[in-house]
Amino acid sequence: MTTNMTIYDISEKAGVSIATVSRVLNGSSNVSEKTKKKVLDVMNQYEYTPNAFARGLGLNTMKTIGIMCADSSDLYLAKAVYYIEELLRANGYDSLLSCTGYDLEIKEKSLELLISKKVDSIILVGSNFIYEKETDNKYISDAAAQVPIMLLNASYEAPNVYSIVSDDYTSMYEATLQMIASGRKDILYFYNSTSYSGKRKLSGYRAAMEEAGLLKSGSLMQFYMGSHEDIHAMADQLAKARSKGLFFNGVIAADDNLALAAVKYAQLNGLKIPEELSVIGYNNSLLTTCCNPELTSIDNKLETLCQHLITTLMGILSGSEMPKKTVFSGEIIHRGTTCLQ
Amino acid sequence: MTTNMTIYDISEKAGVSIATVSRVLNGSSNVSEKTKKKVLDVMNQYEYTPNAFARGLGLNTMKTIGIMCADSSDLYLAKAVYYIEELLRANGYDSLLSCTGYDLEIKEKSLELLISKKVDSIILVGSNFIYEKETDNKYISDAAAQVPIMLLNASYEAPNVYSIVSDDYTSMYEATLQMIASGRKDILYFYNSTSYSGKRKLSGYRAAMEEAGLLKSGSLMQFYMGSHEDIHAMADQLAKARSKGLFFNGVIAADDNLALAAVKYAQLNGLKIPEELSVIGYNNSLLTTCCNPELTSIDNKLETLCQHLITTLMGILSGSEMPKKTVFSGEIIHRGTTCLQ
């Protein structure tokens, strides 16, 4: 009978990093004989049977990576999944995807399911897998005791968890500064998610507005009704706010869907874009070229994030020491809904 | 040692339907003693070990359904996957998704992977899994010998394969007739896919145009460059055709993306919609409300198809006799890009 020891326990008891334990399991020559002996002694003492990392060396590996995303009908998440699966395939790995919805209990269950299917690692796509309440993240650190967990555009510190993020705070901060510099003072922030990434974006907007002395009550507007596809409901919410006396000549949106709703609102109410209403979206999605004028949007370099995530994961699986967190910058793509410089 | 007999072989040798074999395995009281004995005799004779159907009764079942789709970044496929996963969860099933791309070899490998993960059934989402060349479909009939295979909006006749389709032919036929009735004679058909569903749509357009004596050379235009997200490249293709002398005052598109490109083309070239150019899209997706005017589109009742598929699957897994093929009608949703009645 084997014990329930994980690679993390081994690394702790031997006083070495997880990557070192992995190198020992890989038979890498990059480990001193002394360290190697220390690790093997702990393994023998606790009757440890390597699982995920052993699979990583071709011992019994299925060469399969689990992927989880909350909602495959979300344009941004769907595109991330698409890139990741393509990159995994190019590296000789199959993938199994589980779309979980936003409920914690289902996320926990799905994570367990993927682990039971003997995947070599699990990639969590999007920032809604990380919760504010520390105990709600236990399902992630538990899973990380079995296989490496990769986070795409979310950040969480735990052994065997790796975070690849876009600097949403700075992107939103700079977009807001640019809109202010173009002469707008009444800039509404239109959002729907309060995930890790959602909060970072909101903070970026808030910081820029506060620095310029322009933050006022009512200028943070959360869309809470209906689905993220109901452009008309979102446009209505903006129209109602305006009719109740809230003036705005700029909208910065946390997602292209919400930005398109601002464009729709302007069209339905005879406002000229960008003269009477400037709009900036987020994600630089397919939607940016669907409207007229086309949408200025923040490109958060999703493809780059995905490429880096897979490079990191391949490094981990081959026993290399890889960075725990990597941050990339976004970029504002100027189109017809703004007159930024 | 067990033989490689499948439930299909058993049904053939015993001269009963697969559903009857399944009922015997389920211990259903709905089978005569005589039939039951016949089935069990065949099983004993060939040392048959039930697999998928045995799992269906709770013997060793993982209650997990495999899903395959070609491209999770395609709006239509992503939405189908979303509905299916939600419905499976509501029925107490987990799901594992594999996004395969369009290459047959990868599809074959992914199907094998899912079967190796001991799923109870596999759902193929979209019509690009079925090939014209009969031998290219062998991977599907092979898999169907192990677990029931469900096709969403594709049709294929083989034991243990079930097809749920939208009547794309009739939807496109009627849309074309309506555009003709609104006074258009020069109607371009703009498409990119030649899948089962793609061909059915094209035939519908062609039939309506031929009946009206309006089909002319050059009016079938396939978009072949770049990605299905490159609205500008598609609009360029239309502009080039026009500049080479092809006149059209109507566009019927096989997908909303392509229809949006027609709207973009009109806007870039100063054509009034719908007066100078009428446009009809397909799928009634999120994109229909993103443009101005909004897009008339064919709703092929995706949610209904998905619901019916899951109802059928749950019936099969509980041993009921279910229809091999079900066809639903689509509906034209009128918006600003047409002046249909």
Side-chain angles (χ1 to χ4, degrees):
Chain A
M1 212 189 79
T2 59
T3 55
N4 280 327
M5 292 287 286
T6 66
I7 192 161
Y8 170 57
D9 299 323
I10 301 291
S11 94
E12 207 176 47
K13 300 230 181 275
V16 300
S17 73
I18 290 179
T20 301
V21 178
S22 166
R23 274 195 288 270
V24 172
L25 289 169
N26 274 307
S28 162
S29 58
N30 223 343
V31 190
S32 75
E33 278 307 313
K34 194 180 149 196
T35 304
K36 191 173 160 187
K37 186 175 179 315
K38 198 157 60 179
V39 171
L40 291 175
D41 282 352
V42 172
M43 287 184 187
N44 287 332
Q45 186 187 340
Y46 292 94
E47 296 178 6
Y48 173 73
T49 308
N51 47 42
F53 285 85
R55 290 200 296 278
L57 12 131
L59 296 175
N60 198 24
T61 178
M62 303 292 289
K63 291 212 112 186
T64 305
I65 307 294
I67 305 172
M68 283 169 61
C69 85
D71 178 357
S72 65
S73 79
D74 176 286
L75 280 176
Y76 180 77
L77 299 177
K79 179 139 273 188
V81 167
Y82 175 77
Y83 287 139
I84 287 173
E85 298 207 317
E86 203 170 52
L87 290 162
L88 285 173
R89 201 172 290 132
N91 280 282
Y93 278 79
D94 289 315
S95 55
L96 289 172
L97 174 64
S98 182
C99 299
T100 59
Y102 293 92
D103 188 79
L104 174 59
E105 210 175 304
I106 294 172
K107 289 175 186 170
E108 291 170 344
K109 223 181 129 212
S110 300
L111 197 54
E112 278 168 26
L113 173 71
L114 285 174
I115 286 184
S116 79
K117 297 297 176 191
K118 305 217 177 297
V119 295
D120 299 304
S121 167
I122 292 171
I123 300 169
L124 304 183
V125 176
S127 61
N128 53 70
F129 289 100
I130 307 299
Y131 292 85
E132 260 181 80
K133 215 171 119 191
E134 185 49 37
T135 50
D136 285 348
N137 296 319
K138 191 172 175 297
Y139 76 115
I140 292 179
S141 44
D142 284 354
Q146 315 244 4
V147 292
I149 302 291
M150 311 298 297
L151 303 182
L152 184 79
N153 216 16
S155 181
Y156 182 63
E157 279 185 40
N160 216 18
V161 176
Y162 297 81
S163 307
I164 318 288
V165 296
S166 178
D167 187 355
D168 294 321
Y169 172 90
T170 304
S171 296
M172 214 44 129
Y173 175 79
E174 286 182 354
T176 309
L177 283 188
Q178 288 194 26
M179 199 184 263
I180 293 169
S182 79
R184 310 285 148 151
K185 289 184 173 168
D186 302 289
I187 304 172
L188 193 73
Y189 185 75
F190 198 29
Y191 69 108
N192 57 357
S193 160
T194 53
S195 67
Y196 168 82
S197 158
K199 285 202 188 91
R200 301 270 302 159
K201 292 178 193 170
L202 197 149
S203 302
Y205 160 83
R206 188 194 282 272
M209 292 295 275
E210 269 177 355
E211 278 175 32
L214 296 173
L215 194 65
K216 58 180 184 180
S217 91
S219 67
L220 298 177
M221 180 170 299
Q222 185 167 11
F223 177 72
Y224 44 85
M225 319 173 286
S227 98
H228 63 275
E229 297 207 351
D230 196 342
I231 305 274
H232 283 284
M234 299 179 203
D236 278 356
Q237 187 171 324
L238 292 176
K240 273 185 194 135
R242 180 76 159 244
S243 73
K244 282 184 184 158
L246 181 72
F247 177 76
F248 52 93
N249 52 18
V251 171
I252 294 184
D255 190 285
D256 285 340
N257 299 53
L258 292 156
L260 271 191
V263 172
K264 174 77 61 185
Y265 153 76
Q267 280 162 349
L268 293 173
N269 291 277
L271 298 173
K272 272 194 192 149
I273 296 177
E275 295 81 357
E276 295 174 278
L277 189 72
S278 278
V279 183
I280 300 180
Y282 209 101
N283 288 339
N284 198 35
S285 70
L286 163 67
L287 301 182
T288 57
T289 56
C290 292
C291 57
N292 185 30
E294 296 188 354
L295 187 63
T296 295
S297 185
I298 293 164
D299 182 352
N300 63 358
K301 306 293 177 65
L302 182 59
E303 195 165 2
T304 305
L305 295 187
C306 292
Q307 280 164 348
H308 191 83
L309 184 144
I310 298 300
T311 306
T312 305
L313 175 57
M314 292 303 135
I316 297 164
L317 292 176
S318 68
S320 305
E321 188 87 50
M322 300 303 288
K324 294 282 290 175
K325 182 168 178 172
T326 320
V327 182
F328 287 90
S329 297
E331 182 188 357
I332 303 176
I333 309 295
H334 298 284
R335 295 195 187 86
T337 58
T338 49
C339 29
L340 310 178
Q341 299 310 318
Chain B
M1 211 190 81
T2 59
T3 56
N4 280 327
M5 293 286 287
T6 65
I7 192 162
Y8 170 56
D9 299 322
I10 301 289
S11 93
E12 206 176 48
K13 301 229 180 274
V16 301
S17 72
I18 290 180
T20 301
V21 179
S22 164
R23 275 195 286 270
V24 172
L25 289 169
N26 274 307
S28 162
S29 59
N30 223 343
V31 190
S32 74
E33 278 307 312
K34 195 180 148 194
T35 305
K36 191 173 160 186
K37 186 176 180 314
K38 198 158 58 179
V39 172
L40 290 175
D41 283 352
V42 173
M43 286 183 187
N44 287 332
Q45 186 186 340
Y46 291 94
E47 297 177 9
Y48 173 73
T49 309
N51 47 42
F53 284 86
R55 289 201 296 277
L57 13 129
L59 295 176
N60 198 23
T61 178
M62 303 292 289
K63 291 212 113 187
T64 304
I65 307 295
I67 306 172
M68 283 169 61
C69 86
D71 178 356
S72 65
S73 78
D74 177 286
L75 280 176
Y76 180 77
L77 299 177
K79 179 141 273 189
V81 168
Y82 175 77
Y83 288 139
I84 287 172
E85 297 207 317
E86 201 170 54
L87 289 162
L88 285 173
R89 199 172 292 131
N91 279 282
Y93 279 79
D94 289 315
S95 54
L96 288 173
L97 174 63
S98 182
C99 298
T100 59
Y102 293 93
D103 188 79
L104 174 58
E105 212 175 303
I106 295 173
K107 289 175 187 171
E108 290 170 346
K109 222 181 128 212
S110 299
L111 197 54
E112 279 169 25
L113 173 71
L114 285 173
I115 286 185
S116 79
K117 298 295 176 193
K118 306 218 177 296
V119 294
D120 299 303
S121 167
I122 292 172
I123 301 169
L124 305 182
V125 177
S127 62
N128 52 70
F129 289 99
I130 307 299
Y131 292 85
E132 260 181 79
K133 216 171 118 191
E134 184 49 36
T135 50
D136 286 347
N137 296 318
K138 191 172 174 297
Y139 77 115
I140 293 180
S141 43
D142 284 354
Q146 313 243 6
V147 292
I149 302 290
M150 311 298 297
L151 302 181
L152 184 79
N153 216 17
S155 181
Y156 182 64
E157 278 185 40
N160 216 16
V161 176
Y162 297 82
S163 307
I164 319 288
V165 296
S166 178
D167 187 354
D168 294 321
Y169 172 91
T170 303
S171 296
M172 212 45 128
Y173 176 80
E174 286 182 354
T176 309
L177 283 188
Q178 287 195 26
M179 200 184 264
I180 293 169
S182 80
R184 311 285 148 151
K185 289 182 174 170
D186 302 289
I187 303 172
L188 192 74
Y189 184 75
F190 198 29
Y191 69 109
N192 57 357
S193 160
T194 54
S195 67
Y196 168 83
S197 159
K199 285 202 188 90
R200 301 271 301 158
K201 292 178 194 170
L202 198 149
S203 303
Y205 160 84
R206 189 194 284 271
M209 292 295 275
E210 270 177 355
E211 277 175 34
L214 296 173
L215 194 65
K216 58 180 183 181
S217 91
S219 68
L220 299 177
M221 179 170 298
Q222 185 167 8
F223 176 72
Y224 43 85
M225 317 172 289
S227 98
H228 64 274
E229 297 209 350
D230 196 342
I231 304 273
H232 284 283
M234 300 179 202
D236 278 355
Q237 188 171 325
L238 292 175
K240 273 185 194 137
R242 180 76 160 244
S243 73
K244 282 183 184 161
L246 181 72
F247 177 76
F248 51 94
N249 52 18
V251 171
I252 294 184
D255 190 287
D256 286 339
N257 299 53
L258 292 155
L260 271 191
V263 171
K264 174 77 61 184
Y265 153 76
Q267 280 163 350
L268 292 174
N269 291 276
L271 298 173
K272 272 194 192 150
I273 297 176
E275 294 82 357
E276 294 174 279
L277 188 72
S278 279
V279 183
I280 300 180
Y282 210 100
N283 287 340
N284 199 35
S285 70
L286 162 67
L287 300 182
T288 57
T289 55
C290 292
C291 57
N292 185 30
E294 296 187 356
L295 186 63
T296 294
S297 185
I298 293 164
D299 181 352
N300 63 357
K301 306 292 177 65
L302 181 59
E303 195 166 3
T304 304
L305 295 187
C306 292
Q307 280 163 348
H308 191 82
L309 184 143
I310 298 300
T311 305
T312 305
L313 175 57
M314 293 302 135
I316 297 164
L317 292 177
S318 67
S320 306
E321 188 86 52
M322 300 303 288
K324 294 281 290 174
K325 181 169 179 172
T326 320
V327 182
F328 288 90
S329 297
E331 183 188 356
I332 303 175
I333 309 295
H334 298 285
R335 296 195 186 85
T337 59
T338 51
C339 30
L340 310 177
Q341 299 310 315

